[in-house]
Amino acid sequence: MADPKEIQNFDELRKLRLADEGYFVITDTVRGAIIHKVNSKCITADKFNLKVSINGRKQGSYFWVDSIPTAARKFGAKRCKVCKPEFTLVFPSTFET
Ligand SMILES: [Zn+2]
């Protein structure tokens, strides 16, 4: 299990999306921490800039994690209801024989 990594800038976020591994956790002082798929539409440059640059991480931040159990253990994060990251654990090939 890898440690969560705080994302410092949008370029880093972009590279993680391209790598297409793991998950993003967005922490929020009001809503709590939420796990998203790395390629989810929930993750946008505008939202990232607002939270990290403009609000200066006062209300939360962006992290990369290797797995849903890591996110749950380190942040008590909940799965996003929009991009439903749990479904990425089951590959279509699971159902083929
Ligand atoms: Zn999401």
Side-chain angles (χ1 to χ4, degrees):
M1 192 188 294
D3 278 333
K5 189 167 87 137
E6 189 164 13
I7 300 160
Q8 302 300 326
N9 53 55
F10 191 72
D11 193 48
E12 213 173 289
L13 187 86
R14 195 180 57 83
K15 282 180 188 149
L16 288 163
R17 292 184 75 146
L18 288 173
D20 199 17
E21 275 177 27
Y23 300 88
F24 289 132
V25 174
I26 305 177
T27 59
D28 191 290
T29 51
V30 178
R31 281 172 293 183
I34 310 277
I35 313 165
H36 300 272
K37 288 182 185 176
V38 274
N39 281 305
S40 159
K41 290 193 177 71
C42 310
I43 313 291
T44 66
D46 285 352
K47 286 185 193 167
F48 181 85
N49 283 331
L50 178 68
K51 193 157 224 167
V52 174
S53 307
I54 299 168
N55 290 337
R57 305 178 198 272
K58 285 192 199 79
Q59 285 153 14
S61 191
Y62 281 63
F63 294 85
W64 178 88
V65 296
D66 62 341
S67 69
I68 288 176
T70 304
R73 199 165 308 172
K74 301 271 184 178
F75 298 99
K78 294 196 174 74
R79 286 178 285 221
C80 174
K81 290 190 175 79
V82 178
C83 61
K84 299 185 174 66
E86 71 269 34
F87 291 158
T88 60
L89 294 174
V90 183
F91 294 102
S93 60
T94 308
F95 302 107
E96 291 165 13
T97 45

